[in-house]
Every structure is written in structure tokens, then in C-alpha cells.
Amino acid sequence: MGWTRRAFLAASAAAIAQAALPFGARAAQPASAARQRIVESFVRDNGFHGVVRLVHDGRVVFSRAFGMADIEAGRAASVDTLYPLASISKWLTTLSVLRLVDRGQLDLAGRISDYLSGYRADTGARVTLAHLLSNMSGIPNRFDPKADPGVWTRPYTTQEAIAAFCSGDLAFDPGTRFDYQFTNWVIVQGIVETVTGRMFADAVDSLTLTPLRLPGIVPRYTDDARERVAIGYASTEPLVRKMFPQRVYGLASGGYCGRAQDLIRAAHGAYADGFLSDTSRAALSAVRSAADEYALGGRVRTVKIGARSMPFAWETGNTEGYRSLLGHRLDGRTSLVVLNNTSLSQKTIDLFADALLSTL
């Protein structure tokens, strides 16, 4: 049947009715029961396989895995299963870039040509790091596996990938339009590698993953990740796998995988005092493309909780047979993670997230 707007409204109405009860011990159980009904309905209606984790005011109020991580092998999903994070990797990349900004090694107003001497001079002098991180660069995407299936088999370095499909003529003036392109992030990856003198994975580990204590977030192409990651499916009836190769040069764009608990720890650490400067933290959540709710490396979305509308960092990922969501209230009170390996739509995930958050 699917998770429809009607289902969302019904679930939310039930949750809001429970939330209207007097505060105290008696009100806690009905809110929990409403939450459980919303989750059970979502899992049943969508044949959900994956993990849901909700944290509010420093307390885990829901954490559970559903279905299978590998249907053919009979491997059940668990809260420790790794799932590809897809474009949530862009947010992790942006955290690392902002750390370099705070150290004076990068500047959001810096141009591609300031950091990559071999990049074409005309466009490289017009596109800034902020344009790349906000997907407003105008650089077209020449990575086309349909036209060139062999592109998956070529072991490009990051700089070779930039030359091969990230250096076309600008499609529009930088900063004037939003265009969600993979090529932006290959260039960002190249810039990070150049200024740090390290492979991208090593730089991100040092800048972000280790300081935030995120051992469960790892590059997907590693042997450990391949053995532990959930299998992606286009369909479970009939059973159809949907997985493609991962290349090193795509790490900044969508190459990480991780666990729900690590994502929540990442959000709390990233938006807390001390990890980023006040200026960089403000830049992280400042929307640059209003129509797309896009800031740097991710979105900022307004979510209604009771009678209040609250801003959330709304990081989403979609790749192959996977869908991921990290929603983090910017005042730090609430975080939600949904990880899925059966190709659910973003609308389905968002409606479920709204219903679940309405129980708080």
C-alpha cells in the first residue's frame, strides 16, 4: 500500500492527541505507544528493511532494526549493520572542509584555480569552494555510465577523474542556479587532497571521524565494509539486487557507509560548540538555494512538532538500492536516523519521519 499522506495524517493525529495529555509519567507511555504504532504501520505498509533510531533530550526513545540485511544469505538487519550513506557523505565532506577553513588552509570564497593549478583557468577562476559545496557551480557532469559502461572499470585517481568528466564548459553562471551534480564533489575531493597532501579518506578520518569518535563510518570500498554492509535491492518481490561499483574518486560525494548510532553522534558533535568555529557552524546551516532548502553539503528543513516549527539539518542519501536520512534539530534536542536497503522513495521516508517526530 505504501506510506501515503493519508497514513501520515492519521498517524500524526493520533500522536498529537496523545501529546495533549498532561505531562508526567502517565503521558510518557501513550506517547511511546503512539510512536510504536507509527513505526509498525510504516514497516507493514512499506515492507521496510532497515534501522530506525530516534534520540530526544539525550535519551534514546526508539532504536530498532527490521527485516533483512542480506535476504539471500538470511542475514537479519541489526542496529550495528552498515548501510551506505550515499549523499550524507557530502555532509561529512563539508564538515571536513570547514575544519580546513577554520585552520586557514581553505576559504569558502577561494576559487578552484587557487587550489588546483592544473584545472582549466577560465572556469577555475570563476567557481568558488562555496559554489561547489552548495551544488551551484554550473560545472556539468560528464560522468555517464550509460554512454560509457566501461567508466566503472577504470581506476581513475581523483585528479584523473576531474580531468575526465569534471572540467566541462559552465552550464550557467556560478551561484545563479542549483544543480545537484556529482562532479562538484569530485573537485572538492581533489582540493582536500591537494591542500592536505593526503588521500581523501585519511584526511576525513583525521579531520572529522576520529575527533567525533565515529568508528562505524568507513569508506564503502574497504574490505571490512563490503563484508558488513547491507545488500541493496531494487525489489524484494521479485528479489532484484541493485548494487554498483564504488570508486575511490566518488568518496566525497557518496562513498561512505555507517551505522545509525554513529550518524547521531556525528550530528551532535558537529553542531556542538568546539568542533567548528561559530562562523563555520553558521555557514553549515545557512540556506543558499531557498527553493531547494540547500545549504552547504545538505539541506535545512522546517519540521512541525506540535504547534512549533523547528529547523532541522536534513541530510538525505539515495544510491542504488539504498535510502538514508539524518534529521537533526539545530538546537540539538532531537536526532532521527532512518537507513533502508530496499529503494524506498524520499517522500515516503520524509512522511514517516514527520509522523515520528510529531510524537515528541
Side-chain angles (χ1 to χ4, degrees), residues 116-128:
L116 301 180
S117 59
Y119 198 83
R120 55 184 290 183
D122 55 345
T123 57
R126 298 181 61 195
V127 176
T128 68

PDB file of all heavy atoms in Angstrom, residues 116-128:
ATOM      1  N   LEU A 116      43.806  24.086  -7.335  1.00  0.00           N
ATOM      2  CA  LEU A 116      44.152  23.079  -8.337  1.00  0.00           C
ATOM      3  C   LEU A 116      44.810  23.776  -9.527  1.00  0.00           C
ATOM      4  O   LEU A 116      44.130  24.294 -10.417  1.00  0.00           O
ATOM      5  CB  LEU A 116      42.903  22.311  -8.795  1.00  0.00           C
ATOM      6  CG  LEU A 116      42.116  21.569  -7.703  1.00  0.00           C
ATOM      7  CD1 LEU A 116      40.915  20.849  -8.311  1.00  0.00           C
ATOM      8  CD2 LEU A 116      42.996  20.590  -6.945  1.00  0.00           C
ATOM      9  N   SER A 117      46.120  23.781  -9.546  1.00  0.00           N
ATOM     10  CA  SER A 117      46.856  24.526 -10.576  1.00  0.00           C
ATOM     11  C   SER A 117      46.628  23.959 -11.971  1.00  0.00           C
ATOM     12  O   SER A 117      46.739  24.683 -12.964  1.00  0.00           O
ATOM     13  CB  SER A 117      48.358  24.529 -10.256  1.00  0.00           C
ATOM     14  OG  SER A 117      48.854  23.201 -10.194  1.00  0.00           O
ATOM     15  N   GLY A 118      46.301  22.683 -12.069  1.00  0.00           N
ATOM     16  CA  GLY A 118      46.107  22.074 -13.381  1.00  0.00           C
ATOM     17  C   GLY A 118      44.707  22.208 -13.932  1.00  0.00           C
ATOM     18  O   GLY A 118      44.443  21.804 -15.073  1.00  0.00           O
ATOM     19  N   TYR A 119      43.775  22.799 -13.166  1.00  0.00           N
ATOM     20  CA  TYR A 119      42.403  22.949 -13.640  1.00  0.00           C
ATOM     21  C   TYR A 119      42.333  24.075 -14.673  1.00  0.00           C
ATOM     22  O   TYR A 119      43.102  25.043 -14.602  1.00  0.00           O
ATOM     23  CB  TYR A 119      41.464  23.240 -12.475  1.00  0.00           C
ATOM     24  CG  TYR A 119      40.005  22.998 -12.794  1.00  0.00           C
ATOM     25  CD1 TYR A 119      39.462  21.723 -12.721  1.00  0.00           C
ATOM     26  CD2 TYR A 119      39.173  24.048 -13.186  1.00  0.00           C
ATOM     27  CE1 TYR A 119      38.135  21.493 -13.020  1.00  0.00           C
ATOM     28  CE2 TYR A 119      37.835  23.837 -13.486  1.00  0.00           C
ATOM     29  CZ  TYR A 119      37.325  22.549 -13.410  1.00  0.00           C
ATOM     30  OH  TYR A 119      36.008  22.318 -13.716  1.00  0.00           O
ATOM     31  N   ARG A 120      41.388  23.968 -15.600  1.00  0.00           N
ATOM     32  CA  ARG A 120      41.285  24.972 -16.650  1.00  0.00           C
ATOM     33  C   ARG A 120      41.102  26.364 -16.049  1.00  0.00           C
ATOM     34  O   ARG A 120      40.284  26.576 -15.137  1.00  0.00           O
ATOM     35  CB  ARG A 120      40.160  24.648 -17.628  1.00  0.00           C
ATOM     36  CG  ARG A 120      38.803  24.462 -17.006  1.00  0.00           C
ATOM     37  CD  ARG A 120      37.749  24.052 -18.034  1.00  0.00           C
ATOM     38  NE  ARG A 120      37.417  25.143 -18.955  1.00  0.00           N
ATOM     39  CZ  ARG A 120      36.480  25.050 -19.907  1.00  0.00           C
ATOM     40  NH1 ARG A 120      35.818  23.901 -20.080  1.00  0.00           N
ATOM     41  NH2 ARG A 120      36.237  26.065 -20.698  1.00  0.00           N
ATOM     42  N   ALA A 121      41.848  27.317 -16.564  1.00  0.00           N
ATOM     43  CA  ALA A 121      41.959  28.628 -15.935  1.00  0.00           C
ATOM     44  C   ALA A 121      40.671  29.449 -16.025  1.00  0.00           C
ATOM     45  O   ALA A 121      40.333  30.176 -15.089  1.00  0.00           O
ATOM     46  CB  ALA A 121      43.110  29.404 -16.561  1.00  0.00           C
ATOM     47  N   ASP A 122      39.937  29.343 -17.148  1.00  0.00           N
ATOM     48  CA  ASP A 122      38.783  30.224 -17.322  1.00  0.00           C
ATOM     49  C   ASP A 122      37.672  29.920 -16.309  1.00  0.00           C
ATOM     50  O   ASP A 122      37.207  30.814 -15.596  1.00  0.00           O
ATOM     51  CB  ASP A 122      38.261  30.162 -18.756  1.00  0.00           C
ATOM     52  CG  ASP A 122      37.920  28.748 -19.204  1.00  0.00           C
ATOM     53  OD1 ASP A 122      38.343  27.780 -18.538  1.00  0.00           O
ATOM     54  OD2 ASP A 122      37.220  28.604 -20.233  1.00  0.00           O
ATOM     55  N   THR A 123      37.252  28.680 -16.229  1.00  0.00           N
ATOM     56  CA  THR A 123      36.192  28.340 -15.280  1.00  0.00           C
ATOM     57  C   THR A 123      36.734  28.218 -13.857  1.00  0.00           C
ATOM     58  O   THR A 123      36.038  28.546 -12.893  1.00  0.00           O
ATOM     59  CB  THR A 123      35.499  27.035 -15.684  1.00  0.00           C
ATOM     60  OG1 THR A 123      36.471  25.994 -15.781  1.00  0.00           O
ATOM     61  CG2 THR A 123      34.800  27.189 -17.009  1.00  0.00           C
ATOM     62  N   GLY A 124      37.976  27.768 -13.727  1.00  0.00           N
ATOM     63  CA  GLY A 124      38.560  27.617 -12.400  1.00  0.00           C
ATOM     64  C   GLY A 124      38.659  28.917 -11.641  1.00  0.00           C
ATOM     65  O   GLY A 124      38.648  28.931 -10.402  1.00  0.00           O
ATOM     66  N   ALA A 125      38.732  30.033 -12.347  1.00  0.00           N
ATOM     67  CA  ALA A 125      38.817  31.341 -11.699  1.00  0.00           C
ATOM     68  C   ALA A 125      37.441  31.894 -11.334  1.00  0.00           C
ATOM     69  O   ALA A 125      37.349  32.919 -10.634  1.00  0.00           O
ATOM     70  CB  ALA A 125      39.529  32.332 -12.618  1.00  0.00           C
ATOM     71  N   ARG A 126      36.376  31.234 -11.768  1.00  0.00           N
ATOM     72  CA  ARG A 126      35.023  31.732 -11.527  1.00  0.00           C
ATOM     73  C   ARG A 126      34.260  30.944 -10.469  1.00  0.00           C
ATOM     74  O   ARG A 126      33.305  31.452  -9.880  1.00  0.00           O
ATOM     75  CB  ARG A 126      34.214  31.725 -12.829  1.00  0.00           C
ATOM     76  CG  ARG A 126      34.765  32.626 -13.919  1.00  0.00           C
ATOM     77  CD  ARG A 126      33.888  32.558 -15.160  1.00  0.00           C
ATOM     78  NE  ARG A 126      32.533  33.004 -14.887  1.00  0.00           N
ATOM     79  CZ  ARG A 126      31.495  32.789 -15.696  1.00  0.00           C
ATOM     80  NH1 ARG A 126      31.670  32.114 -16.829  1.00  0.00           N
ATOM     81  NH2 ARG A 126      30.291  33.229 -15.376  1.00  0.00           N
ATOM     82  N   VAL A 127      34.651  29.704 -10.250  1.00  0.00           N
ATOM     83  CA  VAL A 127      33.908  28.819  -9.347  1.00  0.00           C
ATOM     84  C   VAL A 127      34.591  28.769  -7.986  1.00  0.00           C
ATOM     85  O   VAL A 127      35.780  28.449  -7.887  1.00  0.00           O
ATOM     86  CB  VAL A 127      33.807  27.404  -9.935  1.00  0.00           C
ATOM     87  CG1 VAL A 127      33.118  26.461  -8.947  1.00  0.00           C
ATOM     88  CG2 VAL A 127      33.051  27.422 -11.262  1.00  0.00           C
ATOM     89  N   THR A 128      33.836  29.075  -6.935  1.00  0.00           N
ATOM     90  CA  THR A 128      34.386  29.067  -5.582  1.00  0.00           C
ATOM     91  C   THR A 128      34.102  27.735  -4.882  1.00  0.00           C
ATOM     92  O   THR A 128      33.258  26.945  -5.313  1.00  0.00           O
ATOM     93  CB  THR A 128      33.786  30.189  -4.722  1.00  0.00           C
ATOM     94  OG1 THR A 128      32.399  29.900  -4.484  1.00  0.00           O
ATOM     95  CG2 THR A 128      33.921  31.535  -5.410  1.00  0.00           C
TER      96      THR A 128
END
